[in-house]
Amino acid sequence: MTTEKPLRVVVAGLGNMGRSHALAYHNNPGFEIAALVNRSDVPLPAGMEGYGIQRSFEGALRELKPDVASINTYSDSHADYAVMAMEAGCHVFLEKPLATTVADAERVVACAKANGRKLVIGYILRHHPSWIRLIGEARGLGGPYVFRMNLNQQSSAHKWDTHKQLMKTTSPIVDCGVHYLDVMCQITDAEPVEVRGMGLRMTDEIAPDMYNYGHLQVLFADGSVGWYEAGWGPMMSETAFFVKDVISPRGSVSIVVNEAATKSDDVDSHTKTNMIRVHRADLGADGNFAHADQDLSMKDEPGHQGLCDREQAFVLKAIREDIDLTRHMADAVKSLRVCLAADESVRTGRPVKL
C-alpha cells in the first residue's frame, strides 16, 4: 500500500491504443484520470462510461494542471503536444513514433531534459516478457546477426479506415517499424550505418505520395543485417504475415505462431508469441545436430491490455523512482532515424548512409 497521492493524467487520443492506455490508468490506483480528450465522442471501455470527453488538449492542460499527459494522437501532433505538455509541467507518455521527423524527435527529447520531465515512449514490446526473453536468448548466441521481421495486416472495414487515417501522416514501415528496429538495436549494440527501402502504393484510396506496402533493409557496423516488411490493406496476404526471426552463426531464435488460427489485423496477434524456438547450430561427430531445438512455451503471456497495464505501471515507476530515461529516449530517436531514412530511400530510390 502507498500513501502517495495518485498522479493526475490527461489522456489525449482515444483510438485503439489511447482507449487501452486510458483503461490502464483507470485500473491503476497510482493514477487518477483528470480528463479524456478526443476530437469526437467514442465508445469507452467498460467501467469508464462516466468520464466525459473534452475537445481541447491545450485547454485541459491549462485548466486542470495534470501531473502526466498521455499522448496517443496521430503522429503529426506528437511533437507539438509533447512539448506543450512538458512546458506546462507534465511528465509525458507518448505513443510511438516519437515524431514524424528526426529534428522534431530531438526537439521533444531536448524539451524533456530542459524541463526535468520524464518522457516515456510507447515501445510496448519493451514490457513484454516474451520479447525480453527473445532478446536475451539472441544476445546469448552472439552476433553478427540476420534479423528477419515483418508485420503485414490484411485490413478491412473500420480497421482499413484506421490504416488510411494513419497513412495521411506516416507510412507502415515507419509506424510499426520503430518497434522492430528497436528490438534489433537491443540485440546488437552495433550502430546502424546504412538503410535501403522500397515501397509500393497499391490502392487509389491513399495519397499519390504515400505507399501502403514497404520493405527496409538495414546494415549495422558489426556486419549484422536485417529487414522489416509492413503492408496494410484489403489486398494483403495472410501467408507469413508474422515473421520474427533472429539468426547468428551459432543458431537462431524465432517466435512461432499459429497463423492458421490468427488474423493479421487482430491487435492481440501483433504482440502474441505463443512460443519461442531456440535452435543451436552445433554439430556432433556424426554430422547431425548436437542439440534438439528448445521450445519455450509462452502460453501465459499477457494480452494487449495486460501489456498496456505494464507499460503505464512503468510510467508510474519512472516518475516515482526518478528513473534515468536518457538511454530510453536516445534509443527512440535512433529507431525513428532508421525508419525515416528507409522512408527517404523509398522515395528517392537511393540507399541512405546514417
Side-chain angles (χ1 to χ4, degrees), residues 13 84 120 232 266 311:
M84 184 191 307
V120 176
W232 295 342
D266 175 13
E311 194 164 28

Side-chain angles (χ1 to χ4, degrees), residues 130-161:
S130 300
W131 281 87
I132 294 168
R133 180 68 181 271
L134 177 135
I135 290 166
E137 292 286 348
R139 285 181 65 87
L141 288 174
Y145 299 96
V146 173
F147 302 109
R148 306 193 306 161
M149 299 191 181
N150 74 2
L151 181 56
N152 294 312
Q153 299 179 55
Q154 185 186 91
S155 57
S156 59
H158 73 278
K159 293 180 180 178
W160 176 225
D161 290 338

Side-chain angles (χ1 to χ4, degrees), residues 224-266:
S224 295
V225 297
W227 59 257
Y228 175 70
E229 173 193 58
W232 295 342
M235 72 294 293
M236 291 305 301
S237 167
E238 290 209 314
T239 300
F241 69 83
F242 186 99
V243 176
K244 305 293 186 292
D245 211 13
V246 184
I247 304 167
S248 93
R250 284 157 288 286
S252 60
V253 185
S254 311
I255 291 178
V256 181
V257 298
N258 180 4
E259 290 195 347
T262 306
K263 291 289 290 179
S264 62
D265 64 351
D266 175 13

